[in-house]
Amino acid sequence: MRRAVFPGSFDPITLGHYDIIERGLPLFDELIIAIGINSEKKYMFSLDERVQFISEAFKNEPKIKVMTYKGLTVEFCKQQNAAFILRGLRNPGDFEFEKAIAHTNRKMSDIETVFLLTSSGKSFISSSIVRDVIRNGGDVSTFVPDTVKVK
């Protein structure tokens, strides 16, 4: 079975994430959307909210599991018997950052990282931009799935 992990904080999930997930589905038999827990980080949305946003968005997709994890992504992949990590790239800066992580992960394990370029119409969307729009009272409906409920 080709199982992949798509890790992130998903605070919140965006249409950019959604794009990578949808396009990654044909490549794998199972895709685990893995929400990383970092106690050092301040999140806008609770872990339960983030799990709910993603679970609801993909409720009709049997190949997707939504899980949470702490620690190294490669260790989580090993626990889940996932041979692949799926990552999205929006721009050259993402590539340089993700390349270093992929090389490190590969040195630590046999887990392969698969990169997909975000579709051009969604490449500008990031969770940090979405959070900034929310903080300033803007409408984020064109940047996130309908399942994201803004407080």
Side-chain angles (χ1 to χ4, degrees):
M1 174 182 277
R2 289 182 326 253
R3 181 176 291 130
V5 168
F6 183 47
S9 59
F10 304 103
D11 187 34
I13 185 171
T14 70
L15 291 179
H17 295 127
Y18 196 95
D19 173 63
I20 296 299
I21 293 163
E22 281 192 318
R23 291 177 36 238
L25 276 173
L27 304 175
F28 305 105
D29 300 311
E30 184 176 81
L31 183 57
I32 300 170
I33 303 172
I35 304 171
I37 301 168
N38 180 345
S39 59
E40 305 288 312
K41 198 169 176 182
K42 273 282 198 203
Y43 296 106
M44 177 173 275
F45 295 95
S46 72
L47 183 60
D48 288 342
E49 287 173 311
R50 290 179 281 146
V51 167
Q52 181 62 35
F53 295 159
I54 298 167
S55 297
E56 186 65 25
F58 295 101
K59 67 182 176 192
N60 295 320
E61 181 47 67
K63 290 171 60 174
I64 289 180
K65 281 187 185 177
V66 181
M67 301 177 78
T68 63
Y69 75 102
K70 288 182 182 177
L72 295 174
T73 301
V74 290
E75 292 303 321
F76 177 73
C77 289
K78 289 176 189 176
Q79 292 165 7
Q80 300 306 315
N81 295 314
F84 303 95
I85 296 173
L86 177 63
R87 298 298 293 163
L89 300 174
R90 294 171 297 171
N91 55 49
D94 279 357
F95 174 73
E96 290 301 323
F97 178 75
E98 293 291 345
K99 180 176 75 167
I101 294 170
H103 284 312
T104 303
N105 288 341
R106 190 78 173 109
K107 195 78 167 165
M108 295 170 53
S109 70
D110 289 336
I111 297 165
E112 198 65 65
T113 300
V114 176
F115 295 110
L116 292 180
L117 299 177
T118 305
S119 299
S120 62
K122 296 175 180 70
S123 63
F124 68 94
I125 303 171
S126 71
S127 292
S128 57
I129 289 173
V130 169
R131 288 191 305 271
D132 195 45
V133 171
I134 292 169
R135 274 192 286 275
N136 289 287
D139 178 12
V140 295
S141 61
T142 59
F143 307 127
V144 298
D146 293 340
T147 57
V148 174
K149 306 295 182 222
V150 179
K151 303 170 195 174

